[in-house]
Amino acid sequence: MKETWRLVRRVIEDGDVVLEVVDARDPEATRSKEAEALAERLGKRLLVVLNKADLVSREFLEKWKAFFESAGMRVVYISAKYRRGTRRLLVSIRELAPRIPVTVVVVGYPNVGKSTIINYLKGRYVAPTSPKPGWTRGEQLVRAKSWLVVLDTPGIVKTPSTGDLALDVIRGLVDPGTVDDPVPYAYALLKRVLTYNPNALRETYGVVSDVENALEEIGRAKRKLLKGGRVNIDEAARIVLRDWVTGKLRYSHPPPNV
Ligand SMILES: Nc1nc2c(ncn2[C@@H]2O[C@H](COP(=O)(O)OP(=O)(O)OP(=O)(O)O)[C@@H](O)[C@H]2O)c(=O)[nH]1
Ligand SMILES: [Mg+2]
C-alpha cells in the first residue's frame, strides 16, 4: 500500500503536468483524491480526463465537466478509442504546460484508458492496451510530439479493497478472468448498474429480470449451461465483469447534487 503511493509520488514528481484519467461512466468512483492531493502538494498542474465518453450521453459529460470546474479543476472529456475530443485534450495540455517540451504523467485506476490515450497522442500503437485490468506493469516514457513527452504508468492497483464489491470492479481491482469467486462481484456490480440504468439488462443482454435473478437469466441468454441444463452462474458472472471492462455494460453516475 505505502509502496503504491511512493510509486505514484515518484512518477508525479517527475512530471510537469498530471493527467488524471477517470471512467466517464462513473467519474467520482474512478478518481483518486489521493493522487489529486499529491499533485497539489507537489505543485503540479492537474488535468482531469473523463475518458470513454462514447459510453455516456453528452448531457452527463457536460454536467460532470461543470462539477469539476466548480471545484476549480481543469477537465476535458474524450473518447480515446474513437478519437473524439482529443484535440481539446492537446489544447488543454498545451495551456497547462509550464515549459516546452512538457512532461505529462498519466495516472489513474486500471482499465480507465491511460495507455489508449498515450497511443492516441503518439499517433500509433506504442503503449500496450488490454481490457484486462492491470495490463501496464511498468512505466513507459513516450515522446508523443516534439513538444510533448508522456509517461504511461501502471494503474493504481494496490489500493485496498473498498469493502464495496461494485466499487472494486469499477476501479479495475478485479480481473474477470482470474478472480476466484466472480459471483458476489457481478451481483454487486449489477445492483449499482441497475440503480443508475434500469434498462441495462435489456440493453446489454436482451433479458428482463430483477437483480436477484439476473445472473441466471444472463447465463441462459448466453447459453452457459452445465450438464443437466442448469445455468453456469460462475460463467455468467464472469461475462458481466468482462462486459464492464470492455464497456458493453453502461450506466451514467450523476455528479453529486444533480
Ligand atoms: N469504449 C471505450 N473504451 C476505451 C476507451 N479508451 C480505452 N478503452 C478500452 O479500455 C480498455 C483499457 O484500456 P487501456 O488503455 O489498456 O487502459 P489502462 O488505463 O492503460 O489500463 P492498465 O494498464 O491496466 O492500468 C481497453 O479495452 C480499451 O480499448 C474509450 O475511449 N472508449
Ligand atoms: Mg495501461
Side-chain angles (χ1 to χ4, degrees):
M1 207 12 228
K2 270 222 185 93
E3 181 57 28
T4 302
W5 292 112
R6 223 183 359 249
L7 220 119
V8 176
R9 188 191 168 96
R10 189 169 52 66
V11 294
I12 289 179
E13 268 170 350
D14 287 344
D16 302 312
V17 173
V18 176
L19 211 101
E20 186 192 15
V21 185
V22 305
D23 188 322
R25 287 173 293 180
D26 204 335
E28 187 69 19
T30 52
R31 73 193 276 204
S32 164
K33 290 191 172 155
E34 293 90 335
E36 291 167 16
L38 263 174
E40 166 127 44
R41 220 174 316 133
L42 295 168
K44 307 295 178 178
R45 299 169 185 199
L46 180 80
L47 176 60
V48 176
V49 178
L50 310 177
N51 188 37
K52 310 198 182 184
D54 53 286
L55 303 179
V56 179
S57 74
R58 177 166 294 251
E59 183 196 345
F60 267 91
L61 296 165
E62 285 294 336
K63 281 181 181 157
W64 273 107
K65 187 165 182 286
F67 170 79
F68 280 107
E69 282 173 349
S70 71
M73 299 167 81
R74 286 288 299 247
V75 58
V76 291
Y77 53 80
I78 69 167
S79 167
K81 186 168 180 180
Y82 297 105
R83 295 161 181 259
R84 286 209 290 268
T86 29
R87 200 165 311 139
R88 243 176 309 143
L89 171 63
L90 281 168
V91 169
S92 296
I93 292 174
R94 221 175 161 133
E95 283 171 3
L96 284 172
R99 71 179 124 232
I100 297 290
V102 57
T103 302
V104 173
V105 177
V106 184
V107 301
Y109 283 110
N111 198 251
V112 290
K114 299 179 294 299
S115 302
T116 306
I117 290 174
I118 286 174
N119 292 332
Y120 164 71
L121 292 171
K122 172 75 182 174
R124 81 192 149 80
Y125 190 82
V126 289
T129 65
S130 166
K132 188 177 152 78
W135 193 250
T136 304
R137 289 302 174 92
E139 292 147 37
Q140 186 186 355
L141 202 58
V142 173
R143 173 158 296 244
K145 311 258 179 253
S146 57
W147 58 274
L148 173 61
V149 178
V150 276
L151 183 68
D152 193 9
T153 67
I156 304 171
V157 271
K158 289 203 186 83
T159 3
S161 160
T162 56
D164 177 331
L165 299 185
L167 277 185
D168 285 354
V169 176
I170 290 158
R171 289 185 179 165
L173 308 178
V174 179
D175 180 344
T178 57
V179 61
D180 277 344
D181 185 1
V183 175
Y185 287 104
Y187 180 74
L189 177 68
L190 284 177
K191 234 169 140 174
R192 186 172 176 101
V193 170
L194 289 170
T195 305
Y196 300 108
N197 178 8
N199 296 321
L201 291 177
R202 194 165 41 74
E203 285 170 7
T204 316
Y205 305 106
V207 306
V208 179
S209 171
D210 52 18
V211 69
E212 274 70 28
N213 299 302
L215 290 177
E216 175 97 22
E217 293 302 325
I218 292 165
R220 206 179 300 286
K222 295 277 183 187
R223 301 190 189 287
K224 297 293 175 195
L225 302 178
L226 298 163
K227 277 196 209 107
R230 270 190 311 115
V231 171
N232 186 339
I233 296 291
D234 185 281
E235 208 31 61
R238 284 185 205 278
I239 287 175
V240 167
L241 298 180
R242 230 172 270 135
D243 287 340
W244 172 259
V245 297
T246 57
K248 286 197 195 106
L249 204 49
R250 300 177 185 199
Y251 68 91
S252 301
H253 195 291
N257 63 45
V258 167

